[in-house]
Amino acid sequence: MNFEPSAIQTELRELARKFSQKELRPIVEEDERTETFRPELIRKLGELGLTGIPVAEEYGGAGLGYLEYIAAIEEIACSSGAYAISVAVTGLPQVILSQFGNDSQKKKYIPPLATGQAIGAFSLSEAVSGSDAGSLITTARKDGNHYVLNGNKFWTTQGDSADTIIVMARTGGPGPKGVSSFIVEKGMKGLSYGKREKKMGANISHTMELILTDLRVPAENLIGNEGDGFKIAMTALDSGRITIAATALGVARSALEVAVNHSRTREQFGKPIGEFQGVSFMLADMGTELNAARLLVQRAAFLKDQKKPFSIPAAMAKLYATDMAMKVTTDAVQVLGGSGYTQDFPAERYMREAKVLQIVEGTNQIQRMIIGKALSTSQYVI
Ligand code: COS
């Protein structure tokens, strides 16, 4: 057992930290208010090699693992949960195509995503199918050497700026086995954008409805075989959940930092409030739970890197880290008191960002379902 980060992990963390502090921190509060997403920042992250960390070098990635990836995502999330989500979501098509794509799909679509030249998205949910992902009703009908897609996809992160979108649609009968995955490109005729959700947080990241109207997708853009789509989506979400958990670490770390600084400088009753046990015990719990969460996230990443089963550890990491972030950010607001509730301090933004992490890539109730099912059917050794 070795808890020491490797030289490359430290280097990548430093690189991401510098970018986060220099490029993200100055613009994030204003952009959050104006709901502005800057694609050029993803390009810059790509130039630094931070958008394709776990992707093979032959496809433009860094050829590293998830232990490196989560270190970078945590640092980005320290300044902006929304940009960390953006990097994580741009990673989903890369994960999918690396594992399930054929050679020409890999060569065409992965390098632009891995180098930040293209933005990625993942479109599974619909009005009628959120947690019950296998009940989606968007159709994909084979027509010669094309599939014709019709339906409305909901909650697609950065759907309006994405160049490459993995869309799940139904080619077969009801249930998970009737679902297939397709590569949809920005600008394809029949793809338009519907409602952009008005959200309580992570407003830099646009959450879009995609409208597919007789959208003709070349048959060569089917990933794997017809009917593989649900398993492809679930496999990608297993990996994605590790990156969402890493985002939670960054958001919580920044919230703790703000709370600690405040507790040292804010004086009441003649001494810094951090010297009161009521506050210092809160900070102690926040720090302890943050560190416990990081160990879970690193373990899930480690298992993935070792090519061992990591589905349940990823669900545990996502569940614990995002619940931890919700608690830590809420307590940070509390430590700051009235100031915490104002936009003069970033604590309230962290709290709003943490909330969405308990929901995206499978609600924490779904994570509990996944973990509970594995425990009750003995698939998971405790
Ligand atoms: N990896 C690979 N295959 C998986 C899998 C995974 N993580 N999870 C399930 N599968 C497979 C199952 O093995 C099963 O295959 P077989 O029919 O060959 O046995 C198939 O997929 C269907 O699985 P299951 O019966 O468990 O599907 P359910 O419809 O009951 O759904 C949950 C399972 C709830 C776990 C799934 O729908 C889910 O994760 N929902 C949340 C969706 C989500 O995260 N949405 C967020 C979108 S991005 S913001």
Side-chain angles (χ1 to χ4, degrees):
M1 181 100 56
N2 182 6
F3 286 95
E4 196 63 32
S6 68
I8 185 74
Q9 283 159 15
T10 305
E11 194 184 310
L12 269 177
R13 189 180 276 280
E14 277 307 310
L15 191 65
R17 180 177 298 165
K18 276 192 193 134
F19 180 90
S20 185
Q21 288 175 351
K22 186 164 162 269
E23 304 274 354
L24 299 180
R25 199 146 278 206
I27 51 108
V28 74
E29 298 298 344
E30 183 58 19
D31 282 6
E32 180 64 16
R33 271 189 281 279
T34 55
E35 303 182 2
T36 306
F37 175 68
R38 302 181 193 232
E40 68 271 20
L41 289 175
I42 300 300
R43 270 195 292 282
K44 283 190 184 175
L45 280 161
E47 281 160 20
L48 294 173
L50 297 175
T51 54
I53 291 173
V55 166
E57 283 173 289
E58 66 172 308
Y59 299 117
L64 297 166
Y66 267 62
L67 278 170
E68 289 77 25
Y69 198 24
I70 57 168
I73 287 184
E74 179 184 329
E75 294 303 326
I76 294 166
C78 280
S79 293
S80 169
Y83 276 103
I85 292 172
S86 180
V87 170
V89 170
T90 286
L92 285 176
Q94 300 180 60
V95 170
I96 290 173
L97 293 171
S98 295
Q99 193 169 345
F100 299 101
N102 59 34
D103 270 359
S104 69
Q105 290 171 341
K106 285 181 187 172
K107 280 190 191 126
K108 181 170 176 192
Y109 292 105
I110 300 179
L113 292 162
T115 54
Q117 296 304 306
I119 289 173
F122 174 85
S123 197
L124 176 64
S125 300
E126 299 179 6
V128 295
S129 67
S131 292
D132 184 7
S135 67
L136 63 85
I137 57 172
T138 289
T139 53
R141 179 178 50 82
K142 187 93 191 276
D143 180 25
N145 54 4
H146 281 80
Y147 284 90
V148 184
L149 273 58
N150 278 289
N152 293 40
K153 304 299 291 187
F154 274 50
W155 305 107
T156 304
T157 300
Q158 62 199 12
D160 52 347
S161 42
D163 304 282
T164 304
I165 312 167
I166 306 293
V167 173
M168 268 53 71
R170 188 166 299 285
T171 47
K177 285 190 182 0
V179 176
S180 299
S181 293
F182 297 91
I183 308 165
V184 170
E185 288 177 35
K186 187 179 203 163
M188 277 182 168
K189 199 161 167 271
L191 170 65
S192 60
Y193 307 110
K195 188 178 166 207
R196 191 169 107 199
E197 301 295 343
K198 293 298 283 180
K199 300 181 298 183
M200 69 183 279
N203 289 307
I204 284 172
S205 165
H206 296 172
T207 303
M208 299 300 302
E209 176 189 6
L210 301 183
I211 303 172
L212 320 181
T213 314
D214 291 332
L215 169 65
R216 290 180 74 78
V217 178
E220 69 215 29
N221 282 24
L222 171 71
I223 307 171
N225 297 310
E226 281 191 17
D228 288 349
F230 187 78
K231 283 190 190 176
I232 290 172
M234 291 301 115
T235 309
L237 285 171
D238 284 345
S239 298
R241 285 165 187 160
I242 302 176
T243 60
I244 295 300
T247 302
L249 298 178
V251 171
R253 202 176 96 204
S254 285
L256 177 57
E257 204 175 284
V258 169
V260 165
N261 287 342
H262 192 77
S263 75
R264 287 179 188 158
T265 51
R266 169 78 174 161
E267 292 195 4
Q268 288 292 277
F269 305 102
K271 58 180 180 179
I273 60 169
E275 290 181 21
F276 289 97
Q277 200 177 59
V279 173
S280 101
F281 277 18
M282 279 171 89
L283 297 174
D285 286 347
M286 290 156 82
T288 305
E289 286 161 27
L290 170 59
N291 277 284
R294 191 181 284 110
L295 289 174
L296 274 182
V297 181
Q298 287 174 338
R299 178 165 178 269
F302 169 79
L303 291 169
K304 177 167 170 63
D305 289 346
Q306 296 296 310
K307 306 201 182 329
K308 296 199 170 133
F310 68 94
S311 197
I312 306 306
M316 288 176 169
K318 197 274 184 187
L319 166 63
Y320 188 82
T322 61
D323 277 358
M324 174 282 298
M326 192 67 242
K327 179 166 178 286
V328 166
T329 55
T330 306
D331 285 350
V333 168
Q334 190 70 20
V335 169
L336 268 70
S339 302
Y341 203 64
T342 70
Q343 294 184 1
D344 293 341
F345 291 84
E348 59 84 33
R349 172 169 65 84
Y350 300 141
M351 188 174 161
R352 290 184 286 110
E353 283 181 340
K355 185 66 221 173
V356 80
L357 302 175
Q358 293 180 302
I359 297 169
V360 292
E361 301 210 5
T363 63
N364 284 2
Q365 287 67 32
I366 288 293
Q367 308 311 318
R368 287 183 173 90
M369 264 175 63
I370 292 169
I371 298 161
K373 186 176 169 189
L375 288 172
S376 63
T377 54
S378 315
Q379 290 165 27
Y380 184 70
V381 181
I382 300 166

